[in-house]
Amino acid sequence: RVQARAQDLSEAPPQAGMASLGKPKADENSYVIHPEYKHKFRPAQVKEIIRASLNQKLTGQAYNVEQTTVLTKAVADDIRDRLKELQLPRYKFVVQVIIGEQKGQGVRMANRCFWDGDTDAQASESFHNETLWCIATAYGVYLY
């Protein structure tokens, strides 16, 4: 019995996570807890990306209650897609976009995050014209 069991184990296929040469797959834990310097989330660079997206999508737009939901999603998707083009390995992005009607009112917003200050960051930018205002925030969270 013991010999048969040992033989069954020896004939088992290699572990699913290990390639034939013993190299781990890309999605396995590598125990890297900090990104390389050139692959860090840079708030200034992300702020420029957000600004460009807001200007492209919202310039000339008028506030319309029925279309605001679609416009908000389009702006958020555009920012997210532009962030993905940065190809920052192991970063997950969260994009929040809020659009409101410009009526001279004041708006206060706050956010609170529990994260690693060495690897995670956020960038925010605002846009306004005669009929609407928009605040977009992008969060970059490093997955380790």
Side-chain angles (χ1 to χ4, degrees), residues 100-132:
E101 186 174 11
Q102 184 76 276
K103 287 191 170 182
Q105 75 279 23
V107 176
R108 291 187 185 202
M109 297 182 63
N111 65 36
R112 182 176 279 184
C113 302
F114 183 72
W115 63 21
D116 184 350
D118 292 335
T119 60
D120 306 334
Q122 62 94 20
S124 187
E125 188 63 36
S126 63
F127 175 91
H128 62 87
N129 63 21
E130 297 79 32
T131 62
L132 64 83

Side-chain angles (χ1 to χ4, degrees), residues 14-20 22-33 90 142-144:
Q15 291 180 350
M18 300 299 288
S20 61
K23 296 179 182 176
K25 290 171 59 177
D27 60 346
E28 284 189 355
N29 289 337
S30 62
Y31 304 104
V32 175
I33 59 172
R90 301 181 81 153
Y142 188 73
L143 180 66
Y144 51 87

Side-chain angles (χ1 to χ4, degrees), residues 69-86:
T69 304
V70 174
L71 185 59
T72 302
K73 185 170 177 11
V75 171
D77 289 344
D78 185 55
I79 293 170
R80 186 197 62 216
D81 292 342
R82 290 178 187 219
L83 291 176
K84 285 183 177 182
E85 290 174 5
L86 294 175

Side-chain angles (χ1 to χ4, degrees), residues 36-47 86 88 91 121 123:
E36 294 179 29
Y37 182 74
K38 63 183 176 181
H39 295 299
K40 285 188 88 167
F41 184 95
R42 301 200 191 305
Q45 180 183 24
V46 173
K47 194 169 188 169
L86 294 175
L88 299 176
Y91 269 97

